[in-house]
Amino acid sequence: MAHVLIVEARFYEHLNDLLLAGARAAIEEAGHSHETITVPGALEIPGAVAMAADTGRYDAFVAIGVVIRGETYHFEIVSNESARGLMALTMDGLPIGNGIITTENEAQALTRAKPDEKNKGGEAAKAALAMLALKGRFG
């Protein structure tokens, strides 16, 4: 049984609740355990994953958050840099599912977050578990 850490940037609580529900359900359905920690924003997720990985207590990680385009360039920075940070950690061998959704508006985010629609939280958890299985195969 794997122990998975869900790292969430809890800016849009109602959307995060949906993403978390999907992620937790997927992890539990696969027979694994999980913990959840909250960070201030999506930019902090990669750092939190890196710190948690150093403890050796977690087998895989799921990044959860919502970034909705605003009127400034900040959207691109947050979207790109959080993804870049997670990808760098993945390239270092950490099994991570990226469930940070980036959308133009809240309606798009809602569709992607709902477990009975696009279920991006569940998909991210399944991706993390798939990468963990692959790591086990190679390692």
Side-chain angles (χ1 to χ4, degrees):
M1 177 170 74
H3 191 54
V4 180
L5 181 65
I6 302 169
V7 181
E8 68 155 342
R10 193 160 185 81
F11 191 79
Y12 297 97
E13 289 193 22
H14 63 295
L15 297 170
N16 268 55
D17 287 343
L18 296 167
L19 289 168
L20 282 170
R24 289 173 174 159
I27 294 165
E28 291 167 7
E29 185 177 298
H32 303 295
S33 63
H34 58 82
E35 288 179 47
T36 302
I37 62 167
T38 302
V39 296
L43 286 174
E44 289 75 35
I45 291 175
V49 169
M51 286 185 265
D54 285 344
T55 71
R57 295 190 321 224
Y58 307 100
D59 302 299
F61 304 88
V62 180
I64 297 289
V66 178
V67 183
I68 298 175
R69 184 179 299 280
E71 297 177 3
T72 68
Y73 184 68
H74 186 68
F75 171 86
E76 282 83 5
I77 292 170
V78 173
S79 299
N80 294 337
E81 293 303 312
S82 62
R84 185 196 59 76
L86 291 174
M87 183 56 67
L89 293 169
T90 300
M91 298 299 288
D92 286 342
L94 290 182
I96 302 171
N98 186 349
I100 302 173
I101 57 176
T102 55
T103 64
E104 296 293 324
N105 55 56
E106 188 171 337
Q108 290 176 348
L110 189 59
T111 297
R112 285 157 180 74
K114 286 183 177 179
D116 61 344
E117 290 191 36
K118 299 229 182 235
N119 194 19
K120 294 300 181 183
E123 286 182 13
K126 288 176 184 177
L129 295 173
M131 292 305 289
L132 178 61
L134 190 61
K135 183 176 181 176
R137 181 176 170 193
F138 292 133

